[in-house]
Amino acid sequence: MTLSEIAAWLIENDRYLIMTHRRPDGDTLASAAALALGLKALGKTVYLYPNAEITERFQDIAGPHLMPEGYAFDHVVTVDTASEDMFPAGAEHLAGRVSLSIDHHPSNTQYARLTYVDADCAACSEIIYALLQTLGVAITQEMALALYVALATDTGCFCYANTTAETHRIAAALMETGIDAGEVNRLLFRSKTRARVLLEGLILSSLEFYFDDTVCIVTITQDMLSRTRATDNDTDDIASISSGIDGVRVGITIREIENGACKVSVRTTPDVDANALCARFGGGGHTMAAGCTIIAPIEDVRRNLLDELSKLLT
Amino acid sequence: MTLSEIAAWLIENDRYLIMTHRRPDGDTLASAAALALGLKALGKTVYLYPNAEITERFQDIAGPHLMPEGYAFDHVVTVDTASEDMFPAGAEHLAGRVSLSIDHHPSNTQYARLTYVDADCAACSEIIYALLQTLGVAITQEMALALYVALATDTGCFCYANTTAETHRIAAALMETGIDAGEVNRLLFRSKTRARVLLEGLILSSLEFYFDDTVCIVTITQDMLSRTRATDNDTDDIASISSGIDGVRVGITIREIENGACKVSVRTTPDVDANALCARFGGGGHTMAAGCTIIAPIEDVRRNLLDELSKLLT
């Protein structure tokens, strides 16, 4: 499908339900909100699926568009959702019933009747921006704000390697509408909850270094979470703390979860295979970022990981 | 002066010495390097002043252009340097002898014979980019890399409120040359020295909150610096730690320096006047960011600041 064909289909039909993914981030929520605003501008009836996991931070953007109870939709459209496994809680019954999937994940499983994937886009919102242009929608400040939030979230504020020249060109166009991008960025990237700051303090004070300081292990116990009153919202991107230290080739974050298990995140430099390490514990991922869940106390998890690492780091 | 007039002057003359400012940041150093590369492309002889304070991080960019001993220059050009007070160590004798000042500080004191200031630019490198275009220089990858480094440094990777649509447009053009912006950003923004991480750990573990948690004080003692082996390079942007915590209106960083004195940085929300607070101790700055030096032990500095704050926060 081309973007023009997707646009034609959206103009032809009506009564849309836009669905975001499980554990929704800024890209899926704000892309959905921007698409909803664009379709409304075309006179369509459109709502967002009431994803129960929307965090405080994105309530203002997604909240106004949530579906009222009993909404009779004709078409489900997913944004930034690679597979039906990623459908939000309560939406399992919509598997097999999605009309259109708009996505930037190359792993999209083609579960929808119509699929548009552009894996070169840093954020799904880049596709939504192009789609709104194709639809002839004039980008309002409200749309621009949502699209900017999505773009900034998925690129770590234009910092990650996924950022392209096109990402910057879109950011420029969005800023021309007069949005206060500086304030968006302050909220998204330059402010932390007190719980997060206290948790980071505990983490940074208990870093462990191994193998000539090339391996750094961060341990997050349930006790640390309760002492700092940190919630899941406060642990975003914690895995990058250990891997972001100069000289560290392997950054490991071990987090104590329920039922005597630990969740392990591994980040590596290109010369160490994070996927290979995690695969030995039944997990997996990418070469430089992988994870696994190990049912054992933290001390055992740490020792087992170090044992396996000693074989990998030769 | 217009940019065309500056360009004409640069083409007409030769044998330039480009000078960066005291405590040089990425903008002054990389802007200077990009201008040097551009002028070299035009066949000019040009070197950078050997600023003694160039940090490790920017050696690769500025290092190759440093002036050899005994270089007989015709014209001194400063970049990103608002006043002669900002000249680097050893360059005091060049006061009154600068031919051209290219700057984005509105406070530029017009100390040069020719001055070009554009205060709407987030980084001085935005001006250098426009100047190279005006000079008809084809932007090479090496120039693009320097200009990108300068742009990213001064905008906190396109995060601060000074970032404009034009900033993003320039970033897009620079990325089109094929530079690895992701790797630049990883080094500049996503990696920390071990000393910095350990220092942050000590800081975050000893945050003090006052006035219903609206005031947060960070204290950095000489002991903390020596225990973590942190140097000046490791304390960049430390002042934003306390002010970036949700609910904090006044973030204060007290740093013990030599001779029984403390350096104080104050960051505030718009409703509290940082300048007014610092002015009571002989310092100053802006409404939301100011500083002062107080000759007293840390405990006294803290108490005096809290006393004055109790009058301001009413």
Side-chain angles (χ1 to χ4, degrees):
Chain A
M1 298 286 289
T2 67
L3 217 48
S4 301
E5 287 167 330
I6 298 292
W9 182 85
L10 284 168
I11 287 170
E12 201 177 297
N13 293 281
D14 202 350
R15 302 195 68 79
Y16 297 105
L17 176 65
I18 304 180
M19 198 153 72
T20 51
H21 65 66
R22 189 175 280 262
R23 293 189 303 276
D25 56 16
D27 190 23
T28 193
L29 290 169
S31 286
L35 181 58
L37 288 165
L39 292 173
K40 277 180 194 173
L42 293 171
K44 304 294 181 184
T45 300
V46 52
Y47 291 102
L48 305 196
Y49 182 85
N51 193 324
E53 295 180 296
I54 301 175
T55 51
E56 183 64 27
R57 173 167 282 182
F58 300 115
Q59 283 292 355
D60 285 354
I61 285 177
H65 307 288
L66 298 185
M67 180 183 94
E69 228 175 304
Y71 172 53
F73 51 87
D74 286 348
H75 292 287
V76 179
V77 177
T78 65
V79 287
D80 197 36
T81 306
S83 69
E84 294 181 331
D85 295 345
M86 289 300 291
F87 284 9
E92 293 79 5
H93 67 289
L94 294 174
R97 294 176 56 196
V98 174
S99 299
L100 171 63
S101 166
I102 301 172
D103 193 12
H104 70 133
H105 295 97
S107 57
N108 187 290
T109 61
Q110 308 277 327
Y111 57 85
R113 196 159 61 75
L114 308 173
T115 301
Y116 185 85
V117 174
D118 185 347
D120 291 334
C121 289
C124 192
S125 68
E126 292 190 18
I127 306 174
I128 303 297
Y129 175 77
L131 179 59
L132 293 180
Q133 306 273 90
T134 308
L135 283 164
V137 171
I139 306 287
T140 63
Q141 250 188 41
E142 199 180 357
M143 294 174 205
L145 188 74
L147 291 166
Y148 183 91
V149 164
L151 210 55
T153 309
D154 253 27
T155 59
C157 207
F158 311 96
C159 192
Y160 301 155
N162 61 354
T163 308
T164 66
E166 180 65 9
T167 313
H168 281 292
R169 272 192 291 269
I170 295 173
L174 299 176
M175 287 190 70
E176 292 288 6
T177 67
I179 55 168
D180 188 350
E183 179 60 12
V184 168
N185 294 335
R186 193 185 65 75
L187 292 171
L188 288 179
F189 304 107
R190 301 177 60 215
S191 69
K192 292 177 179 179
T193 61
R194 185 166 168 185
R196 166 68 183 232
V197 167
L198 296 175
L199 180 63
E200 276 188 33
L202 292 182
I203 288 172
L204 297 179
S205 306
S206 61
L207 296 174
E208 301 159 36
F209 291 88
Y210 300 93
F211 298 102
D212 289 331
D213 299 344
T214 60
V215 174
C216 177
I217 298 187
V218 156
T219 309
I220 305 174
T221 61
Q222 284 293 331
D223 177 59
M224 286 161 77
L225 293 173
S226 64
R227 270 162 66 199
T228 56
R229 301 192 193 171
T231 66
D232 277 350
N233 290 344
D234 301 311
T235 59
D236 273 1
D237 207 29
I238 285 275
S240 70
I241 291 180
S242 55
S243 58
I245 302 172
D246 288 354
V248 169
R249 294 164 65 198
V250 183
I252 297 180
T253 307
I254 305 174
R255 183 167 160 191
E256 198 178 30
I257 55 175
E258 62 285 342
N259 305 324
C262 289
K263 214 177 140 182
V264 178
S265 297
V266 179
R267 298 283 181 278
T268 59
T269 46
D271 56 325
V272 184
D273 190 346
N275 183 52
L277 176 62
C278 292
R280 299 193 189 191
F281 298 96
H286 306 277
T287 317
M288 295 170 63
C292 56
T293 300
I294 305 178
I295 302 176
I298 287 185
E299 300 69 38
D300 298 352
V301 170
R302 183 194 291 110
R303 199 183 52 244
N304 293 341
L305 284 165
L306 289 171
D307 282 350
E308 289 301 324
L309 263 178
S310 68
K311 299 171 202 165
L312 274 176
L313 294 176
T314 46
Chain B
M1 297 286 289
T2 68
L3 217 47
S4 302
E5 287 167 331
I6 298 292
W9 182 85
L10 285 167
I11 287 171
E12 201 177 295
N13 293 281
D14 201 350
R15 302 194 70 78
Y16 297 106
L17 175 65
I18 304 180
M19 198 154 72
T20 51
H21 65 67
R22 188 176 282 262
R23 292 190 304 277
D25 56 16
D27 190 23
T28 194
L29 290 169
S31 286
L35 180 57
L37 288 165
L39 291 173
K40 278 180 195 174
L42 294 172
K44 302 294 181 185
T45 300
V46 52
Y47 291 102
L48 304 196
Y49 182 85
N51 193 324
E53 295 180 294
I54 300 176
T55 52
E56 181 65 26
R57 171 166 284 180
F58 300 114
Q59 282 293 354
D60 285 353
I61 285 178
H65 308 289
L66 297 186
M67 180 184 96
E69 227 174 306
Y71 172 52
F73 51 86
D74 286 348
H75 292 287
V76 179
V77 177
T78 64
V79 286
D80 197 39
T81 306
S83 69
E84 295 180 331
D85 295 344
M86 290 301 291
F87 283 8
E92 294 78 6
H93 65 288
L94 294 174
R97 293 177 54 196
V98 174
S99 298
L100 171 63
S101 166
I102 301 173
D103 193 13
H104 69 133
H105 294 97
S107 56
N108 187 291
T109 61
Q110 308 277 327
Y111 57 86
R113 196 160 59 77
L114 308 172
T115 300
Y116 184 85
V117 174
D118 185 346
D120 291 335
C121 289
C124 192
S125 67
E126 293 190 19
I127 306 173
I128 303 297
Y129 175 76
L131 179 58
L132 293 180
Q133 305 274 90
T134 308
L135 283 164
V137 171
I139 306 287
T140 63
Q141 251 188 39
E142 199 180 357
M143 294 174 204
L145 188 74
L147 291 167
Y148 183 91
V149 164
L151 211 54
T153 309
D154 253 26
T155 59
C157 206
F158 311 97
C159 191
Y160 302 155
N162 61 355
T163 308
T164 66
E166 181 65 10
T167 314
H168 281 292
R169 272 192 292 269
I170 295 172
L174 299 175
M175 287 190 71
E176 292 288 7
T177 67
I179 55 167
D180 190 351
E183 180 59 13
V184 168
N185 294 335
R186 192 184 66 75
L187 293 171
L188 288 179
F189 304 106
R190 300 177 62 215
S191 69
K192 292 178 178 178
T193 62
R194 185 165 169 185
R196 166 66 182 233
V197 167
L198 296 176
L199 180 63
E200 276 189 32
L202 292 181
I203 288 172
L204 296 180
S205 306
S206 60
L207 296 175
E208 301 158 36
F209 291 89
Y210 301 92
F211 298 103
D212 288 332
D213 300 342
T214 59
V215 174
C216 176
I217 298 188
V218 155
T219 310
I220 305 174
T221 62
Q222 284 293 331
D223 177 59
M224 286 162 75
L225 293 173
S226 64
R227 271 162 67 198
T228 56
R229 300 189 193 174
T231 66
D232 277 350
N233 290 344
D234 301 310
T235 58
D236 272 1
D237 207 30
I238 284 275
S240 69
I241 291 180
S242 56
S243 57
I245 301 173
D246 287 353
V248 169
R249 294 164 66 199
V250 183
I252 297 180
T253 306
I254 306 175
R255 183 167 160 190
E256 198 177 30
I257 54 176
E258 61 285 343
N259 305 325
C262 290
K263 213 177 140 183
V264 177
S265 296
V266 179
R267 299 282 180 278
T268 58
T269 45
D271 56 323
V272 184
D273 190 347
N275 183 51
L277 176 62
C278 292
R280 298 192 188 191
F281 298 96
H286 307 276
T287 317
M288 294 170 63
C292 56
T293 299
I294 305 178
I295 302 176
I298 287 186
E299 302 68 38
D300 296 352
V301 170
R302 184 193 292 111
R303 199 182 53 245
N304 292 341
L305 285 164
L306 288 171
D307 281 351
E308 287 302 324
L309 262 177
S310 69
K311 298 172 203 163
L312 274 175
L313 295 175
T314 44

